[in-house]
Amino acid sequence: MNKPDSHLFVIFGASGDLTKRKLVPAIYSLYVQNLLPDNFTLVGVSRSELNDSSFREKMENAINQFSQINNFSRIEQFLQKVFYISMDSTKPEDFDFLKNRLQKLRTEFKINSNTIFYLSTPPNLYSIIPHNLAAHNLNNQKDGWVRLIIEKPFGNDYDSAQNLENELIKSWDDEQIYRIDHYLGKETVQNLLVTRFSNGIFEPLWNRNYIHHVEVTSAESIGIEDRGVYYESTGALRDMIQNHLLQIVGLIAMEPPSSLDPSAIRNEILKVFQSLRPIKEEDVQKVSIRGQYIASRIKGEHVSGYREEKSVDSNSTVETYAALKFYIDNWRWGGIPFYIRTGKRLPTTVNEVVIHFKKTPHFLFSKDREVNSCNQLVLRIQPDEGILLKFGMKIPGAGFEVQTVNMDFHYSDLSVDRIPSAYERLLYDAMKGDTTLFARIEEVMAAWKFLMPVINGWKNNKKIPLYGYSAGTWGPEYADKLIEGENMSWRYPCKNLADDGVYCEL
Ligand code: BG6
C-alpha cells in the first residue's frame, strides 16, 4: 500500500481515554506495518502537566496494554516521533506557542505544512479549537493540506449540530473536515457492503417482498465506566443510535452505489436517511423504549446501578438502553419495520444485524415447530465476526420433521492474523485523504432530524416511562412489545445474567 504524504498528526485531548486506548495504539500499528510516512510526527496536546518524556512513557504503557498488533519491538523507535505540548486550548494566546512548536518540529523532521488535527476533547471544545487554529492561520492549505478530524457526538441535537457546523465552515472548507464514526472503520461493517453487492444471491431477496423485518442490536456488558460526565449529557440514543446504528442501517438499506467512489456511497446512505419516515412526537411512546440499569447481583457479585456510578446524578433520567421501531419509506423497504436497540450492562457484548425473512406462503411440514418463521441471516459485526444463516432441514428418519440449523461462517476461519482496528483503518484513510468512511454533514443532520421527535418526546412527555432493568439483563422486557407479530421478539444470543431480573418504572 502507498504511504501517505509526510505530515504532523496533532491530537487534542491527548491525556484522555480515547488517545490511550485507541488512537495511539492504532497509529503504532500503522507504524509497525510501515504505513506511516518516513517523515511523521505525533504531537499530543492537552492541559495535563506532562512533557515529551512523561507522555512517551504513558503512550508506551498504552501501546503495551491496548495494541492489537503483536509486535512490540519497535516501540522505542516509534516513541522518538512522539511529542507533547501542554496548553489550554480555550486560550487563544496558547496557540502562538503551539504554532511555534509545530514549526520547529516541521523543520527538525523535514515536514511541510501537511497536518491532521484530531479533536478527541470534550465536545464543548469542538468549535473553540478549530476557531483558535484558524485565528493562527493553522488551517491554511497554501503549502500543504490541513485536515480536522472530529470525534462524535457532532452536536447534542439538531440545532447544536447546525450551530457547530456553521461555526466550522466560517474558517474551514468542508473537504478539510472529517467527521469520524468509528463503526464505519470496522471491517465487518464494511463487509455489509461486500456481502450485499458481491453476491448475486442476496440482492433479489433484499426487499419488502421477502424480508419481514430487520433487527440491529448493539449490546454492551460494560456500564458507563468512568464516563459519567459525558454520559449524563448524552444517553444511549445520542451515544449509539444517532451515529453508529443509523450508519449500519444506512449500509443495510442503501441502493447499490454506482461505484466505490466516496460520494457515490455516501449519496446512497444519505438517501436512506432522507427516506426515514418521520416519527410524530405523539407516537414516541408507541415506537420507542428507554431504560436505565439498576443495581443487581451477577454471579453473586453486586453490580452498581447507573445512578450510583461516578459523576452521575442520583436522580438521573438519562437512558442507558434505547430501542426504536421505524420505517424507511421507499420502494425497497415500504412497510417493513426496522428495530434497533442498544444498551449498557446487558448480558453480553454483541453487535449484529438480523434479517428476518418472511414465512413461506404455505408450510407443508409439521406445524408443531415454528421453523418456518426462522429463516434469518445474522450478520455478526462483533465479537466472533461472521455470518450465520438459519434455515429448515429435515430431521433424518420417518416423516418430515423439520428443524432449524445454522450455516455459520466465522472470520476467525480466514487465514488472516487479525482484523485491523476501526481506528487504524480510519486514521490511515484520513492520512490519505480518503473520505469514504467519514460521515457527511448532510447525513449527520438527517440523523438528528429523524431523532429529534424522540429526544423531545422523552424530554417533554412525562408519561413516557423510563424503565429500570437489572444490570445483566436484556433491558426492559417491554422492549419485546415493540416487535410486531405473533410469538416474535428480539433475538437473544444468550440468557440474562442477573440472579434476579427486576423490571420496574423509575
Ligand atoms: C462509542 C460510545 O462511540 O462506542 C461508547 O461512545 C461505546 O459508549 C463504544 O461503548 C462502542 O464501541 P465498540 O467499538 O466497542 O463497539
PDB file of all heavy atoms in Angstrom, residues 364-384:
ATOM      1  N   LEU A 364     -45.655 -26.865   4.424  1.00  0.00           N
ATOM      2  CA  LEU A 364     -46.104 -28.237   4.172  1.00  0.00           C
ATOM      3  C   LEU A 364     -45.879 -29.179   5.341  1.00  0.00           C
ATOM      4  O   LEU A 364     -46.519 -30.208   5.450  1.00  0.00           O
ATOM      5  CB  LEU A 364     -45.291 -28.803   2.993  1.00  0.00           C
ATOM      6  CG  LEU A 364     -45.588 -28.257   1.616  1.00  0.00           C
ATOM      7  CD1 LEU A 364     -44.587 -28.832   0.619  1.00  0.00           C
ATOM      8  CD2 LEU A 364     -47.002 -28.649   1.210  1.00  0.00           C
ATOM      9  N   PHE A 365     -44.933 -28.810   6.187  1.00  0.00           N
ATOM     10  CA  PHE A 365     -44.442 -29.810   7.141  1.00  0.00           C
ATOM     11  C   PHE A 365     -45.064 -29.629   8.514  1.00  0.00           C
ATOM     12  O   PHE A 365     -45.975 -28.813   8.688  1.00  0.00           O
ATOM     13  CB  PHE A 365     -42.912 -29.751   7.175  1.00  0.00           C
ATOM     14  CG  PHE A 365     -42.338 -29.818   5.789  1.00  0.00           C
ATOM     15  CD1 PHE A 365     -41.796 -28.701   5.169  1.00  0.00           C
ATOM     16  CD2 PHE A 365     -42.425 -31.003   5.059  1.00  0.00           C
ATOM     17  CE1 PHE A 365     -41.316 -28.765   3.877  1.00  0.00           C
ATOM     18  CE2 PHE A 365     -41.946 -31.063   3.762  1.00  0.00           C
ATOM     19  CZ  PHE A 365     -41.394 -29.937   3.156  1.00  0.00           C
ATOM     20  N   SER A 366     -44.539 -30.380   9.479  1.00  0.00           N
ATOM     21  CA  SER A 366     -45.105 -30.361  10.821  1.00  0.00           C
ATOM     22  C   SER A 366     -45.332 -28.942  11.304  1.00  0.00           C
ATOM     23  O   SER A 366     -44.430 -28.102  11.251  1.00  0.00           O
ATOM     24  CB  SER A 366     -44.149 -31.069  11.766  1.00  0.00           C
ATOM     25  OG  SER A 366     -44.463 -30.692  13.085  1.00  0.00           O
ATOM     26  N   LYS A 367     -46.538 -28.692  11.793  1.00  0.00           N
ATOM     27  CA  LYS A 367     -46.854 -27.344  12.252  1.00  0.00           C
ATOM     28  C   LYS A 367     -46.358 -27.126  13.688  1.00  0.00           C
ATOM     29  O   LYS A 367     -46.451 -26.052  14.239  1.00  0.00           O
ATOM     30  CB  LYS A 367     -48.374 -27.099  12.217  1.00  0.00           C
ATOM     31  CG  LYS A 367     -49.004 -27.243  10.853  1.00  0.00           C
ATOM     32  CD  LYS A 367     -48.919 -25.925  10.087  1.00  0.00           C
ATOM     33  CE  LYS A 367     -49.731 -25.928   8.830  1.00  0.00           C
ATOM     34  NZ  LYS A 367     -49.229 -26.729   7.735  1.00  0.00           N
ATOM     35  N   ASP A 368     -45.887 -28.222  14.327  1.00  0.00           N
ATOM     36  CA  ASP A 368     -45.505 -28.100  15.733  1.00  0.00           C
ATOM     37  C   ASP A 368     -44.333 -27.152  15.910  1.00  0.00           C
ATOM     38  O   ASP A 368     -44.248 -26.385  16.840  1.00  0.00           O
ATOM     39  CB  ASP A 368     -45.096 -29.453  16.330  1.00  0.00           C
ATOM     40  CG  ASP A 368     -46.238 -30.434  16.198  1.00  0.00           C
ATOM     41  OD1 ASP A 368     -47.360 -29.960  15.940  1.00  0.00           O
ATOM     42  OD2 ASP A 368     -45.991 -31.647  16.335  1.00  0.00           O
ATOM     43  N   ARG A 369     -43.421 -27.276  14.985  1.00  0.00           N
ATOM     44  CA  ARG A 369     -42.234 -26.436  15.129  1.00  0.00           C
ATOM     45  C   ARG A 369     -42.393 -25.205  14.268  1.00  0.00           C
ATOM     46  O   ARG A 369     -42.763 -25.304  13.121  1.00  0.00           O
ATOM     47  CB  ARG A 369     -40.989 -27.193  14.641  1.00  0.00           C
ATOM     48  CG  ARG A 369     -40.661 -28.359  15.495  1.00  0.00           C
ATOM     49  CD  ARG A 369     -39.658 -29.196  14.742  1.00  0.00           C
ATOM     50  NE  ARG A 369     -39.386 -30.402  15.487  1.00  0.00           N
ATOM     51  CZ  ARG A 369     -38.355 -30.536  16.302  1.00  0.00           C
ATOM     52  NH1 ARG A 369     -37.498 -29.571  16.444  1.00  0.00           N
ATOM     53  NH2 ARG A 369     -38.171 -31.649  16.968  1.00  0.00           N
ATOM     54  N   GLU A 370     -42.043 -24.085  14.855  1.00  0.00           N
ATOM     55  CA  GLU A 370     -42.255 -22.838  14.113  1.00  0.00           C
ATOM     56  C   GLU A 370     -41.032 -22.493  13.264  1.00  0.00           C
ATOM     57  O   GLU A 370     -40.633 -21.355  13.165  1.00  0.00           O
ATOM     58  CB  GLU A 370     -42.582 -21.703  15.078  1.00  0.00           C
ATOM     59  CG  GLU A 370     -44.074 -21.505  15.314  1.00  0.00           C
ATOM     60  CD  GLU A 370     -44.852 -21.227  14.027  1.00  0.00           C
ATOM     61  OE1 GLU A 370     -44.469 -20.310  13.284  1.00  0.00           O
ATOM     62  OE2 GLU A 370     -45.830 -21.956  13.770  1.00  0.00           O
ATOM     63  N   VAL A 371     -40.394 -23.540  12.711  1.00  0.00           N
ATOM     64  CA  VAL A 371     -39.180 -23.262  11.949  1.00  0.00           C
ATOM     65  C   VAL A 371     -39.435 -22.348  10.780  1.00  0.00           C
ATOM     66  O   VAL A 371     -38.559 -21.637  10.330  1.00  0.00           O
ATOM     67  CB  VAL A 371     -38.515 -24.540  11.400  1.00  0.00           C
ATOM     68  CG1 VAL A 371     -37.802 -25.285  12.476  1.00  0.00           C
ATOM     69  CG2 VAL A 371     -39.501 -25.391  10.670  1.00  0.00           C
ATOM     70  N   ASN A 372     -40.660 -22.404  10.290  1.00  0.00           N
ATOM     71  CA  ASN A 372     -40.951 -21.653   9.086  1.00  0.00           C
ATOM     72  C   ASN A 372     -40.764 -20.153   9.276  1.00  0.00           C
ATOM     73  O   ASN A 372     -40.578 -19.422   8.327  1.00  0.00           O
ATOM     74  CB  ASN A 372     -42.379 -21.973   8.637  1.00  0.00           C
ATOM     75  CG  ASN A 372     -42.620 -21.464   7.247  1.00  0.00           C
ATOM     76  OD1 ASN A 372     -41.673 -21.367   6.484  1.00  0.00           O
ATOM     77  ND2 ASN A 372     -43.845 -21.129   6.938  1.00  0.00           N
ATOM     78  N   SER A 373     -40.820 -19.703  10.536  1.00  0.00           N
ATOM     79  CA  SER A 373     -40.652 -18.262  10.729  1.00  0.00           C
ATOM     80  C   SER A 373     -39.194 -17.942  11.027  1.00  0.00           C
ATOM     81  O   SER A 373     -38.857 -16.840  11.392  1.00  0.00           O
ATOM     82  CB  SER A 373     -41.526 -17.789  11.876  1.00  0.00           C
ATOM     83  OG  SER A 373     -41.191 -18.538  13.019  1.00  0.00           O
ATOM     84  N   CYS A 374     -38.334 -18.942  10.922  1.00  0.00           N
ATOM     85  CA  CYS A 374     -36.982 -18.769  11.455  1.00  0.00           C
ATOM     86  C   CYS A 374     -35.892 -18.512  10.420  1.00  0.00           C
ATOM     87  O   CYS A 374     -34.729 -18.558  10.783  1.00  0.00           O
ATOM     88  CB  CYS A 374     -36.593 -19.975  12.289  1.00  0.00           C
ATOM     89  SG  CYS A 374     -37.499 -20.022  13.808  1.00  0.00           S
ATOM     90  N   ASN A 375     -36.251 -18.328   9.158  1.00  0.00           N
ATOM     91  CA  ASN A 375     -35.166 -18.022   8.216  1.00  0.00           C
ATOM     92  C   ASN A 375     -34.571 -16.677   8.579  1.00  0.00           C
ATOM     93  O   ASN A 375     -35.244 -15.648   8.493  1.00  0.00           O
ATOM     94  CB  ASN A 375     -35.687 -17.926   6.777  1.00  0.00           C
ATOM     95  CG  ASN A 375     -35.629 -19.238   6.055  1.00  0.00           C
ATOM     96  OD1 ASN A 375     -36.462 -19.506   5.204  1.00  0.00           O
ATOM     97  ND2 ASN A 375     -34.667 -20.056   6.373  1.00  0.00           N
ATOM     98  N   GLN A 376     -33.353 -16.723   9.039  1.00  0.00           N
ATOM     99  CA  GLN A 376     -32.705 -15.466   9.455  1.00  0.00           C
ATOM    100  C   GLN A 376     -31.297 -15.433   8.894  1.00  0.00           C
ATOM    101  O   GLN A 376     -30.623 -16.465   8.862  1.00  0.00           O
ATOM    102  CB  GLN A 376     -32.571 -15.404  10.978  1.00  0.00           C
ATOM    103  CG  GLN A 376     -33.881 -15.351  11.707  1.00  0.00           C
ATOM    104  CD  GLN A 376     -33.687 -15.493  13.222  1.00  0.00           C
ATOM    105  OE1 GLN A 376     -32.571 -15.552  13.719  1.00  0.00           O
ATOM    106  NE2 GLN A 376     -34.789 -15.541  13.934  1.00  0.00           N
ATOM    107  N   LEU A 377     -30.890 -14.245   8.492  1.00  0.00           N
ATOM    108  CA  LEU A 377     -29.488 -14.049   8.131  1.00  0.00           C
ATOM    109  C   LEU A 377     -28.911 -13.131   9.203  1.00  0.00           C
ATOM    110  O   LEU A 377     -29.370 -12.001   9.366  1.00  0.00           O
ATOM    111  CB  LEU A 377     -29.395 -13.390   6.755  1.00  0.00           C
ATOM    112  CG  LEU A 377     -27.973 -13.151   6.251  1.00  0.00           C
ATOM    113  CD1 LEU A 377     -27.277 -14.470   5.935  1.00  0.00           C
ATOM    114  CD2 LEU A 377     -27.992 -12.280   4.992  1.00  0.00           C
ATOM    115  N   VAL A 378     -27.954 -13.652   9.955  1.00  0.00           N
ATOM    116  CA  VAL A 378     -27.383 -12.864  11.047  1.00  0.00           C
ATOM    117  C   VAL A 378     -26.001 -12.384  10.617  1.00  0.00           C
ATOM    118  O   VAL A 378     -25.111 -13.196  10.328  1.00  0.00           O
ATOM    119  CB  VAL A 378     -27.262 -13.712  12.339  1.00  0.00           C
ATOM    120  CG1 VAL A 378     -26.718 -12.875  13.488  1.00  0.00           C
ATOM    121  CG2 VAL A 378     -28.599 -14.330  12.699  1.00  0.00           C
ATOM    122  N   LEU A 379     -25.852 -11.077  10.556  1.00  0.00           N
ATOM    123  CA  LEU A 379     -24.549 -10.504  10.179  1.00  0.00           C
ATOM    124  C   LEU A 379     -23.893 -10.047  11.479  1.00  0.00           C
ATOM    125  O   LEU A 379     -24.328  -9.069  12.088  1.00  0.00           O
ATOM    126  CB  LEU A 379     -24.767  -9.327   9.217  1.00  0.00           C
ATOM    127  CG  LEU A 379     -25.552  -9.732   7.956  1.00  0.00           C
ATOM    128  CD1 LEU A 379     -26.324  -8.565   7.382  1.00  0.00           C
ATOM    129  CD2 LEU A 379     -24.615 -10.307   6.912  1.00  0.00           C
ATOM    130  N   ARG A 380     -22.928 -10.831  11.938  1.00  0.00           N
ATOM    131  CA  ARG A 380     -22.314 -10.538  13.247  1.00  0.00           C
ATOM    132  C   ARG A 380     -21.165  -9.556  13.066  1.00  0.00           C
ATOM    133  O   ARG A 380     -20.158  -9.873  12.444  1.00  0.00           O
ATOM    134  CB  ARG A 380     -21.780 -11.823  13.895  1.00  0.00           C
ATOM    135  CG  ARG A 380     -22.832 -12.668  14.592  1.00  0.00           C
ATOM    136  CD  ARG A 380     -22.150 -13.731  15.427  1.00  0.00           C
ATOM    137  NE  ARG A 380     -21.143 -14.424  14.655  1.00  0.00           N
ATOM    138  CZ  ARG A 380     -21.336 -15.599  14.050  1.00  0.00           C
ATOM    139  NH1 ARG A 380     -22.479 -16.227  14.151  1.00  0.00           N
ATOM    140  NH2 ARG A 380     -20.356 -16.152  13.352  1.00  0.00           N
ATOM    141  N   ILE A 381     -21.338  -8.367  13.637  1.00  0.00           N
ATOM    142  CA  ILE A 381     -20.325  -7.328  13.470  1.00  0.00           C
ATOM    143  C   ILE A 381     -19.197  -7.506  14.475  1.00  0.00           C
ATOM    144  O   ILE A 381     -18.043  -7.343  14.179  1.00  0.00           O
ATOM    145  CB  ILE A 381     -20.994  -5.950  13.565  1.00  0.00           C
ATOM    146  CG1 ILE A 381     -21.870  -5.781  12.327  1.00  0.00           C
ATOM    147  CG2 ILE A 381     -19.982  -4.816  13.667  1.00  0.00           C
ATOM    148  CD1 ILE A 381     -22.830  -4.656  12.361  1.00  0.00           C
ATOM    149  N   GLN A 382     -19.544  -7.864  15.691  1.00  0.00           N
ATOM    150  CA  GLN A 382     -18.537  -8.183  16.699  1.00  0.00           C
ATOM    151  C   GLN A 382     -19.194  -8.767  17.928  1.00  0.00           C
ATOM    152  O   GLN A 382     -20.386  -8.494  18.132  1.00  0.00           O
ATOM    153  CB  GLN A 382     -17.732  -6.941  17.096  1.00  0.00           C
ATOM    154  CG  GLN A 382     -18.584  -5.899  17.786  1.00  0.00           C
ATOM    155  CD  GLN A 382     -17.867  -4.598  18.070  1.00  0.00           C
ATOM    156  OE1 GLN A 382     -16.974  -4.210  17.361  1.00  0.00           O
ATOM    157  NE2 GLN A 382     -18.271  -3.927  19.116  1.00  0.00           N
ATOM    158  N   PRO A 383     -18.582  -9.513  18.780  1.00  0.00           N
ATOM    159  CA  PRO A 383     -17.309 -10.187  18.503  1.00  0.00           C
ATOM    160  C   PRO A 383     -17.632 -11.429  17.673  1.00  0.00           C
ATOM    161  O   PRO A 383     -18.749 -11.545  17.201  1.00  0.00           O
ATOM    162  CB  PRO A 383     -16.847 -10.572  19.908  1.00  0.00           C
ATOM    163  CG  PRO A 383     -18.115 -10.793  20.674  1.00  0.00           C
ATOM    164  CD  PRO A 383     -19.165  -9.902  20.054  1.00  0.00           C
ATOM    165  N   ASP A 384     -16.718 -12.345  17.530  1.00  0.00           N
ATOM    166  CA  ASP A 384     -16.932 -13.528  16.710  1.00  0.00           C
ATOM    167  C   ASP A 384     -17.538 -13.109  15.364  1.00  0.00           C
ATOM    168  O   ASP A 384     -18.601 -13.584  14.950  1.00  0.00           O
ATOM    169  CB  ASP A 384     -17.853 -14.533  17.435  1.00  0.00           C
ATOM    170  CG  ASP A 384     -17.954 -15.837  16.654  1.00  0.00           C
ATOM    171  OD1 ASP A 384     -17.099 -16.055  15.778  1.00  0.00           O
ATOM    172  OD2 ASP A 384     -18.885 -16.613  16.904  1.00  0.00           O
TER     173      ASP A 384
END
